[in-house]
Amino acid sequence: MTDLVNFEVRRAEGEAFLSGLSQEVLRLVYDIPEATTTYRSKADIQRLLPQDMPKSSQGCEAFIEFVRSVFVPNIRTYRHGLHFGHQRPAPSLASEAADMLNGATNTTVSVFEAGPVSVAMESTVQSWLRRLFRLSDDAAVTFTNGGSESTLTALLCARERWEKAYPERDFRDACVLIGTHAHYCVERSARVVGIRPDNILRFPSDERGRASVPALRDLVRQITEKNTPILSIIANSGTTAMGAFDDLQAFRTLADACGAWLHVDASHGGAAIFVRELEDKIAGLNTADSFAWNPHKLMWVSPPCACLFVRVCEDLHLALVKDLDQAHYIVERSQHLNDEISHSENLEWTLACTRQFSALKVFASAFLYGTDATAHRIAAMCKLATALAELVRKDGRFALFCEPEFNIVCFRHIGNTHDPDAFNRDLRARLARQPACYLTGTEIDGAYWLRAQFTSETTNLDHLSLLLDTVDHEARRVQDKTSSKS
Ligand SMILES: *Cc1c(COP(=O)(O)O)cnc(C)c1O
């Protein structure tokens, strides 16, 4: 039981509470457990939780005990050396500090008078990013809740510009061109802005997962011959499945030729900007009409922390400002409290009204580590991916999908089977239930591959052999099960 004073715990107990909690957080960062998770079932975890919403305080100590005995042991440890799972990093200490400050202050980034320091810091971080990506001062940088929101906002901009250019034409007759390996949010965003599903067209990729430029050129020619307008072409910098990068300069030329809005989904691969040896992969990114990049991937910060860049800021502004006249409770356009800032200013650049001050995570990371550390870390992850690919290539038990371009490797077990797709699918399902390592799978052009991505700072070369041996061990068990059935 806890005594509450003005609905809050007393100071002495509050101090004990926060220091107990920070001990747990420290253990999360520095003490890596043996297994990547406990593999308890959802029902088993739920049995450890209060079944009814507590009516009275359970107490600070009980909360710490809950964190220690239930929460921490049942997370998936992204910091584990054998974690190759989803593209979601273990947050850095800088990110944790930012989350703590955001949690403690709930400071806003929407209205200057309600969040002076956060609004000012967000503007500064936006200028940092404009310079990092070599954009002009005329470009808009906004923080969103993720790559999906960035893509949707980008397509709203595309629609707005198109409607302004062709007031006599219905944008719903226009088409949007997306890659075979586009993230699902791209097709969804196109549907949400009102593109007809049969006007969302896919261009094929080459054997390494990059957009096939000749095929795209053909598709654009066929469409324009039919007199159908192209609203937008969407390129990938770092596909979700295998981290492939499209040739952005070729996309720019094609988009210019047909008047389409070029959006680049660099949610994952935009981080290449930090690393000199990788920068070429995103050459031309700053010529796109818009692009998305998620620091909540390869900047090791917690979500949400994502950005949308729009090369001509007016395009974004026009798409979002129209409805703001109705927001009288926040927006006082005619009344400028101080000379430089109108209340509505930040709201005019984002789809969301309430947003987290996620720029603080970029700020804290740069402040604590410098961008050099981020660059080294990304380069190290890519090196590990290359090393795994090399091991796979030399190992008769496995097949490699292709040389990795970034921090993702797709490979599979050869097995003694007529159906490698079903075999590897079963294998992945088995791997998901064992404690040693964690990796995902992906479908590429109808074939099933295992997928390992690198974000864990504790992964080293020994883990790579361990991973392959674990995969092989489980593959034998799949094989045994299959042979005993037949
Ligand atoms: C992660 C990712 C997305 C989606 O971003 P969210 O922040 O999860 O909405 C979109 N595209 C690519 C290529 C991604 O890697």
Side-chain angles (χ1 to χ4, degrees), residues 46-67:
Q46 284 193 289
R47 267 191 281 281
L48 303 171
L49 314 178
Q51 299 307 298
D52 292 309
M53 192 189 265
K55 243 174 103 57
S56 58
S57 166
Q58 309 294 294
C60 290
E61 278 177 34
F63 189 86
I64 300 281
E65 184 46 37
F66 168 81
V67 170

Side-chain angles (χ1 to χ4, degrees), residues 92-166:
S92 63
L93 263 189
S95 166
E96 287 176 25
D99 274 334
M100 220 162 104
L101 292 172
N102 271 333
T105 59
N106 191 23
T107 186
T108 183
V109 271
S110 304
V111 178
F112 180 76
E113 63 178 24
V117 75
S118 38
V119 168
M121 284 171 75
E122 189 184 65
S123 293
T124 295
V125 173
Q126 285 163 335
S127 335
W128 289 357
L129 296 180
R130 228 179 258 117
R131 286 200 288 275
L132 177 69
F133 284 96
R134 296 189 202 94
L135 291 160
S136 78
D137 290 345
D138 195 32
V141 184
T142 60
F143 280 86
T144 67
N145 288 302
S148 308
E149 185 186 319
S150 300
T151 310
L152 177 62
T153 311
L155 282 173
L156 286 172
C157 297
R159 188 178 95 183
E160 192 64 32
R161 192 180 75 178
W162 199 84
E163 290 193 304
K164 211 169 74 182
Y166 310 105

